[in-house]
Amino acid sequence: RAKELGRDQVQFYSVELNEQAQRRLQLEGELRHALERGEFELAWQPKADIQSGHISGAEVLLRWQRAGQSVATPDVFIRVLEETGLIMPVGRWVLEQAARQIVAWRRAGLPWLRVAVNLSARQLRQGDLVRTVSEVLETSGLPSAQLELELTESMLMGGEQHQRLLHRLSALGVQLAIDDFGTGWSSLSYLKRFNVDTLKIDRSFVRDTPHDPEDNAIATAVIALARSLKLRVVAEGVETPEQRRFLLDNGCDEFQGWLLSRPLSARAFEAWWRQQLLLASGAEVEHATLP
Ligand code: C2E
Ligand code: MG
Ligand code: MG
Ligand code: MG
C-alpha cells in the first residue's frame, strides 16, 4: 500500500512539474518572438522633487502585451528574459526606446527629462554595456547626463571587473542609482567605490511609514546615510500624503509612486507631464505677481 501511495505521489508530482515546464517553455517560445512582433512597450513613471512636486525625471518599466492575452507580470517574464539571455537584445531595445522618446519630447519643445532604465545583472556580465550605452547615446542624441541606470545591490558584488565597468559608465556621464536599496546584500563601502549618484529606498520600507516604527527607523537611516555620502535619495512606492510628509520631514530629496502617478503609456505620460508643467508655470506667474 505504501508503495502504491508512493508511486501515486511520484506521478502526481511529475504531472505538476510537467505542466510547469510546459508553461515555462511556452512562455520562452513567445518571448523569443515578442521583440520582432512589437509586443513590448515602455511604461513611464515620473519622479518628483519631494518638496516642490516638480518633475525631476521618469523611470521606464517594461511591459509585455502577450498576443491575445492580458499584460504579463514583469517580475515573471523579466526573470525568464534574464535566464534565457533574451534580456540582452530586449535590454538594448529598452535603452534605445527610452532615449529616442526623451529626444523626441525635447524636439517637441518639452524640457529635457532624465530617464532611468533598469538593468539586469546579465547586462553587466555579458556583452559590452559601455559600448551599448555609448552607441545608444550617440545614435539618439541623448545627452549622457539625462540617462540614469538603476542597478541593485547584488549587482555590485562582481568585484573589480564590475568596479571598472561602473567607473567607465560614470565616465560617460550617465548617472548610477541603487534600486531597492536596503533589501540586498549591502556592504556600505561599495557605495564609495562605485561612483553611485542616487539611492532608492525600497518600497517595502516605505509602505508602512509613518505607522511602523521599524520602517520609520530604516527609511530615516537610509536618508541619513545618503545625505552624509552626498547622494541623492529617492523613495519608491509612495502612495499616501502621510508617507510623503514623513519622508519630506526626514530629508528625502525625491519621491516616486502612485501618489504622484502610476506608470503610464508614453502618450498618457506626455499629457500628464504637460499638465504638470502648465500648473507649475501658473504657480510661478502667481508668485511673480505677488506684491
Ligand atoms: P523596480 O525597478 O523597483 O520598479 C518599481 C516597481 O514598483 C514597478 O513594478 C512599479 O510599477 C511599482 N510601483 C511604482 N510605484 C508604486 C506604488 O506606489 N505602489 C506599488 N505597490 N507599486 C509601485 P513593475 O513595473 O511590475 O516592475 C517590477 C520590476 O521589474 C522592477 O522593479 C524592475 O526591477 C524590473 N523591471 C522593470 N522594467 C525593467 C527593464 O526594462 N529591465 C530590467 N532589467 N528590469 C525591469
Ligand atoms: Mg527601478
Ligand atoms: Mg525599485
Ligand atoms: Mg523595488
Side-chain angles (χ1 to χ4, degrees):
R1 259 210 86 120
K3 225 180 187 173
E4 255 167 53
L5 226 130
R7 209 178 301 141
D8 280 352
Q9 204 98 356
V10 166
Q11 212 162 32
F12 173 72
Y13 282 132
S14 67
V15 166
E16 201 166 73
L17 273 177
N18 235 329
E19 275 175 13
Q20 235 178 45
Q22 288 289 334
R23 268 202 305 273
R24 165 67 196 237
L25 274 176
Q26 166 112 25
L27 205 61
E28 269 189 46
E30 286 177 33
L31 277 170
R32 280 186 203 286
H33 302 289
L35 199 55
E36 70 205 37
R37 288 182 184 153
E39 292 175 353
F40 288 120
E41 228 182 79
L42 295 183
W44 293 75
Q45 189 180 37
K47 308 179 196 185
D49 182 275
I50 201 161
Q51 179 121 38
S52 67
H54 290 164
I55 307 312
S56 55
E59 176 176 4
V60 289
L61 297 157
L62 188 59
R63 295 291 179 263
W64 178 30
Q65 182 61 64
R66 280 174 88 174
Q69 295 188 62
S70 56
V71 175
T73 324
D75 286 322
V76 175
F77 76 79
I78 286 169
R79 199 174 51 236
V80 178
L81 290 177
E82 284 167 356
E83 286 166 7
T84 54
L86 286 166
I87 195 67
M88 300 305 289
V90 174
R92 187 186 176 110
W93 179 86
V94 172
L95 276 165
E96 285 169 347
Q97 197 68 13
R100 232 183 270 152
Q101 181 65 78
I102 294 293
V103 171
W105 277 328
R106 183 70 191 105
R107 293 207 175 118
L110 286 155
W112 279 120
L113 186 73
R114 184 185 296 142
V115 61
V117 174
N118 293 284
L119 292 184
S120 290
R122 191 141 182 168
Q123 289 170 281
L124 263 65
R125 261 188 289 121
Q126 202 178 315
D128 190 345
L129 182 61
V130 178
R131 182 157 158 204
T132 302
V133 170
S134 32
E135 282 174 3
V136 168
L137 292 173
E138 198 162 318
T139 50
S140 65
L142 183 74
S144 59
Q146 303 303 331
L147 179 63
E148 182 168 36
L149 302 174
E150 294 196 4
L151 317 161
T152 57
E153 286 164 274
S154 59
M155 292 187 201
L156 302 183
M157 283 179 72
E160 273 195 24
Q161 211 176 330
H162 279 175
Q163 196 171 327
R164 269 200 305 277
L165 177 64
L166 296 187
H167 271 282
R168 286 170 64 211
L169 282 174
S170 53
L172 285 180
V174 306
Q175 301 269 305
L176 299 177
I178 306 298
D179 207 351
D180 307 334
F181 188 76
T183 59
W185 174 92
S186 88
S187 155
L188 299 176
S189 68
Y190 274 72
L191 291 178
K192 225 172 71 185
R193 264 194 270 159
F194 281 123
N195 293 4
V196 166
D197 304 284
T198 302
L199 296 187
K200 294 187 77 178
I201 309 173
D202 190 62
R203 189 169 83 221
S204 63
F205 304 124
V206 171
R207 190 170 40 220
D208 297 324
T209 55
H211 308 291
D212 182 311
E214 281 170 2
D215 283 344
N216 291 352
I218 294 171
T220 315
V222 174
I223 294 168
L225 173 72
R227 297 197 75 87
S228 56
L229 290 171
K230 307 221 164 24
L231 305 177
R232 180 170 42 204
V233 56
V234 183
E236 62 173 25
V238 177
E239 295 181 0
T240 70
E242 292 74 30
Q243 290 168 342
R244 179 183 177 182
R245 184 79 239 168
F246 175 82
L247 293 157
L248 169 61
D249 289 345
N250 284 283
C252 191
D253 299 311
E254 297 178 11
F255 77 114
Q256 183 181 3
W258 296 350
L259 177 64
L260 184 65
S261 167
R262 297 215 174 211
L264 303 169
S265 68
R267 276 185 70 156
F269 175 81
E270 182 184 330
W272 179 88
W273 185 21
R274 287 184 183 278
Q275 188 70 32
Q276 296 291 310
L277 288 169
L278 262 175
L279 289 171
S281 68
E284 260 158 46
V285 170
E286 239 167 66
H287 200 74
T289 54
L290 281 177

